[in-house]
Amino acid sequence: MDPTREIFELGDWRVDAAGNRLQRGAEVRALRHKAMALLVLLASRPGETVGREEIIDTIWQGNRFVAPKAINTAVWTIRQALGDDPEAPRYLETIAKKGYRLIAPVRALAPPPQIMAMPITAPAPHWPLLAGLLVLAGLIAVWWLRPGDIAPAALPEPRPLTHTPGHEYLGQLSPDGRLLAFAWWQGQGAGRLYLRPAAELDAAPQALSPEGLDVQGLSWSPDGRAIAYIAASPDGQCQLRVYRLSERPQQQALARCSALFTPSVAWSPDGRSIAFSAEAEGVGGLFLVAPDGSGLRRLSSAPPAAMPDHQPSWSPDGRHLVFARQDPADGSRDFYEAGLDGRVQRLSQLRLYPLHGLTHAENGRDLIFSTTRQDSRVLMRWQRETGQALPLGLEGSAPLRNAGGPLVYALMRSHIGIARLDWSAGAQPLRLPGAVVNDRAPTADPAGGGLFFVSARSGRPELWRSDAQGDQNGRTRALTQLDLQPAAPAASPDGRQLAFLGNCGPGKRPGLCLLDLASGQLRPLAADATQYGRPSWHPSGREVWVASDRGGRWQLWRFDLSGSPAATPLDTERPPGPALQWAADGSALFYQARASQELRRRPLAGGREQPMAAAVPEGEALLDWRLGPQGLVLLTRGSQAEYFRRLDLAGERPAQLLSSHALGSFPERASFALAADGSAWVELAHTAVADLMQAR
């Protein structure tokens, strides 16, 4: 069969191979080329098992290096598009150690009329490199309209701007449309700024930013002769920089900024000012600076305890700047507008928790923004006249456009599950089954031998528990149904309580939360909307410790649960990063120094802090670490693979290699937990894709 020409029915789906899409009634979904080719191959022999060797030879031209993981990715993509459950399949069945077969009826059809459709993706700001992934031009209708929303009109199919391996997560066309500036993360190190002719997808891009600086925002000058961008260094320092295109390109650092991991720079239409996020005298906000670095001044001031105002977008006349502001009471965000005189007014009442970028619409008044719904990043249009937010039918992130120009956005798809990793049994991750959405943040249950984790299986992120067999007996259940936006759960030593980060305070105010698993009682330990790291329990089970900036600087904080949870700080020689762990006897704690890979041991009574020497090999990045009975277990990423290692607490022996895994096996910021039997629960990346798309 020719996968570019086949039209057939698969169960209740119509498959248009030439258009790389599926249709069921008004619902349209997309498949990437390789996934569609695999589906067509299976449909050519309905009910028969097609072996993996034949799939490799037919679809991947015998490339046995790339194909094994690519096949898994394609199968997962097909199942996601069809809405098929691998545990109870209706369309695609896995035949263990042999291959795959279609079990739904297949019927050939005449070619259908052309379908107008809309794109699809899923979350994640840049994830690990997966070589060989082709451009994703997914198309799907949005299913989650709120009461009062109006379904959008059919939109023209967007076209891809990039299809390189790795993640192109941020991009903008030059004012004349001839050049594409974009941020590209290639699976290692930092995401750099690149430049390429917009129409030449296969042209080699030119790197503009220095190595080691992570690009987090960019904006073209209105004359197309320069690019302003935000870049963060490994130690957390942030710079606003300008790259000037000429026969002798020049680069200049203009000002210090705030590293917010969200697009936060915009060049004014008249070319005189660059708006960006920064802090001064402890107060965050938006600032303006001239392209030569002169005339720095504050434009807005964020509320106390809120993140700096961010995601600026200039009105076409250059007289106003729309931006996102966080409400420190609950962490939600809305749109505000500032005049050049600094007067600020609130525009929206949307109370957005996830917000992944905004830009002005083509009429210069409405806004296009990205938020998360049902585990996917989707594009919305906020209408100034009505105050409503309507879905565009496009999934994407970081929207950017020039006045009169097309919309450029990042189209992302990722799926993260949890796997069991037993180093005594071959060290191959065994995936926790049953999830069609992301499972994240595993933590071991010290009492029952299972694990707790965060999942959106019920439609929104909640806390879940699975038994020690990893759901093979179906004993997985939701622990909460409260829409708490939970993160970083940590189980008490007796397994009866969970400390986690979430919106558990009055009015959904975010902070540090405590859940009693027997009674279901939930209470906030702190609800001050400040930043917190991953909580850790003292071995006594009577204290929760966490790194936080609640005192104005990063410290370790102790919450005593024996009475009213009073918080007291503990000073350390270095500012602590997000993770800490206790020694089993409670005599010392281990923490990661902020903005570094250094792990340190801090005794509680007497003695000096000690750095854990050579914990991370040179050239590798530390993703996560945990303290086990036999030492510190580290998960690192190198240039060729990802590694688990165990480090002797005494520091007398080199780190022991536990296992190595193909690059991209785990998410960029992977998390894992150690079980009592010495195995681990680890986040596993099933697929990770990011390309830039253009749409009007």
Side-chain angles (χ1 to χ4, degrees), residues 495-559:
R496 297 179 180 178
Q497 299 181 89
L498 277 180
F500 64 96
L501 310 181
N503 296 39
C504 60
K508 299 276 186 173
R509 190 180 180 94
L512 180 63
C513 313
L514 189 67
L515 175 67
D516 184 279
L517 296 175
S519 66
Q521 180 184 1
L522 177 72
R523 60 171 172 147
L525 297 181
D528 45 17
T530 57
Q531 298 184 74
Y532 287 92
R534 185 168 64 200
S536 178
W537 287 82
H538 187 274
S540 68
R542 297 190 296 269
E543 299 172 0
V544 174
W545 288 69
V546 68
S548 175
D549 65 347
R550 56 181 286 141
R553 60 188 178 94
W554 279 91
Q555 296 174 285
L556 299 182
W557 288 82
R558 166 184 173 267
F559 291 83

Side-chain angles (χ1 to χ4, degrees), residues 329-609:
D330 62 3
S332 65
R333 287 177 280 182
D334 265 292
F335 306 138
Y336 287 73
E337 187 173 63
L340 295 180
D341 58 1
R343 294 183 182 180
V344 174
Q345 63 170 331
R346 183 170 182 167
L347 298 181
S348 70
Q349 300 286 339
L350 300 176
R351 306 192 73 79
L352 299 164
Y353 286 100
L355 181 61
H356 315 298
L358 68 91
T359 192
H360 274 81
E362 75 287 344
N363 65 3
R365 292 179 54 78
D366 297 349
L367 300 175
I368 307 297
F369 68 95
S370 172
T371 187
T372 297
R373 290 289 186 272
Q374 297 291 346
D375 227 16
S376 297
R377 297 189 180 196
V378 297
L379 294 176
M380 306 281 289
R381 182 183 184 118
W382 178 79
Q383 296 181 322
R384 186 182 289 259
E385 299 300 329
T386 66
Q388 283 187 301
L390 305 181
L392 288 181
L394 298 173
E395 297 199 28
S397 179
L400 286 174
R401 64 181 296 275
N402 296 309
L407 182 72
V408 176
Y409 60 94
L411 189 58
M412 299 181 178
R413 176 181 289 273
S414 69
H415 182 71
I416 298 170
I418 294 174
R420 189 71 174 264
L421 185 58
D422 187 349
W423 291 294
S424 66
Q428 292 302 314
L430 299 177
R431 183 175 65 90
L432 179 74
V436 294
V437 295
N438 287 346
D439 290 341
R440 301 214 66 170
T443 187
D445 178 358
L451 80 153
F452 302 104
F453 59 99
V454 175
S455 178
R457 297 182 183 206
S458 59
R460 59 191 179 191
E462 299 286 357
L463 294 170
W464 285 68
R465 186 192 182 280
S466 178
D467 68 6
Q469 282 69 45
D471 199 30
Q472 294 178 14
N473 298 329
R475 292 194 293 269
T476 295
R477 61 187 177 90
L479 300 176
T480 58
Q481 296 180 2
L482 300 171
D483 193 19
L484 299 172
Q485 301 293 318
S492 60
D494 60 10
R496 297 179 180 178
Q497 299 181 89
L498 277 180
F500 64 96
L501 310 181
N503 296 39
C504 60
K508 299 276 186 173
R509 190 180 180 94
L512 180 63
C513 313
L514 189 67
L515 175 67
D516 184 279
L517 296 175
S519 66
Q521 180 184 1
L522 177 72
R523 60 171 172 147
L525 297 181
D528 45 17
T530 57
Q531 298 184 74
Y532 287 92
R534 185 168 64 200
S536 178
W537 287 82
H538 187 274
S540 68
R542 297 190 296 269
E543 299 172 0
V544 174
W545 288 69
V546 68
S548 175
D549 65 347
R550 56 181 286 141
R553 60 188 178 94
W554 279 91
Q555 296 174 285
L556 299 182
W557 288 82
R558 166 184 173 267
F559 291 83
D560 187 350
L561 306 184
S562 58
S564 175
T568 55
L570 176 72
D571 285 329
T572 52
E573 290 186 10
R574 298 279 303 276
L580 68 127
Q581 290 254 254
W582 278 92
D585 60 3
S587 63
L589 58 82
F590 296 79
Y591 73 94
Q592 183 178 349
R594 187 162 182 80
S596 85
Q597 300 196 135
E598 183 183 55
L599 301 179
R600 301 180 67 86
R601 181 182 184 275
R602 204 274 193 196
L604 285 198
R608 297 190 60 184
E609 282 190 17

Side-chain angles (χ1 to χ4, degrees), residues 170-459:
L170 181 70
Q172 188 179 35
L173 291 171
S174 59
D176 61 8
R178 297 173 59 188
L179 297 174
L180 174 69
F182 63 100
W184 183 19
W185 184 72
Q186 301 182 58
Q188 268 296 112
R192 298 178 66 186
L193 178 65
Y194 287 83
L195 188 67
R196 196 206 70 203
E200 300 176 23
L201 268 69
D202 295 319
Q206 175 189 359
L208 305 185
S209 62
E211 289 189 26
L213 295 182
D214 193 50
V215 174
Q216 299 173 8
L218 63 89
S219 181
W220 279 93
S221 65
D223 61 8
R225 297 178 180 177
I227 304 168
Y229 67 97
I230 296 290
S233 59
D235 62 1
Q237 298 298 314
C238 180
Q239 287 184 334
L240 170 67
R241 303 173 68 91
V242 168
Y243 183 95
R244 294 180 175 86
L245 285 69
S246 63
E247 292 184 3
R248 294 184 177 180
Q250 298 177 341
Q251 193 145 181
Q252 179 184 2
L254 301 185
R256 295 188 63 175
C257 53
S258 294
L260 301 177
F261 301 99
T262 190
S264 290
V265 60
W267 207 311
S268 66
D270 62 9
R272 297 178 180 177
S273 299
I274 300 172
F276 64 103
S277 300
E279 290 188 24
E281 299 178 347
V283 179
L286 288 178
F287 290 75
L288 299 180
V289 67
D292 62 1
S294 65
L296 177 66
R297 70 180 181 94
R298 177 187 290 273
L299 184 67
S300 73
S301 296
M307 64 188 298
D309 297 334
H310 53 287
Q311 297 179 3
S313 178
W314 288 93
S315 61
D317 61 10
R319 298 171 59 184
H320 298 91
L321 198 65
V322 174
F323 60 91
R325 172 170 286 180
Q326 184 186 48
D327 183 345
D330 62 3
S332 65
R333 287 177 280 182
D334 265 292
F335 306 138
Y336 287 73
E337 187 173 63
L340 295 180
D341 58 1
R343 294 183 182 180
V344 174
Q345 63 170 331
R346 183 170 182 167
L347 298 181
S348 70
Q349 300 286 339
L350 300 176
R351 306 192 73 79
L352 299 164
Y353 286 100
L355 181 61
H356 315 298
L358 68 91
T359 192
H360 274 81
E362 75 287 344
N363 65 3
R365 292 179 54 78
D366 297 349
L367 300 175
I368 307 297
F369 68 95
S370 172
T371 187
T372 297
R373 290 289 186 272
Q374 297 291 346
D375 227 16
S376 297
R377 297 189 180 196
V378 297
L379 294 176
M380 306 281 289
R381 182 183 184 118
W382 178 79
Q383 296 181 322
R384 186 182 289 259
E385 299 300 329
T386 66
Q388 283 187 301
L390 305 181
L392 288 181
L394 298 173
E395 297 199 28
S397 179
L400 286 174
R401 64 181 296 275
N402 296 309
L407 182 72
V408 176
Y409 60 94
L411 189 58
M412 299 181 178
R413 176 181 289 273
S414 69
H415 182 71
I416 298 170
I418 294 174
R420 189 71 174 264
L421 185 58
D422 187 349
W423 291 294
S424 66
Q428 292 302 314
L430 299 177
R431 183 175 65 90
L432 179 74
V436 294
V437 295
N438 287 346
D439 290 341
R440 301 214 66 170
T443 187
D445 178 358
L451 80 153
F452 302 104
F453 59 99
V454 175
S455 178
R457 297 182 183 206
S458 59

Side-chain angles (χ1 to χ4, degrees), residues 108-129:
L109 293 173
Q114 187 174 1
I115 301 170
M116 298 301 292
M118 298 166 284
I120 183 170
T121 186
H126 35 255
W127 296 115
L129 170 65

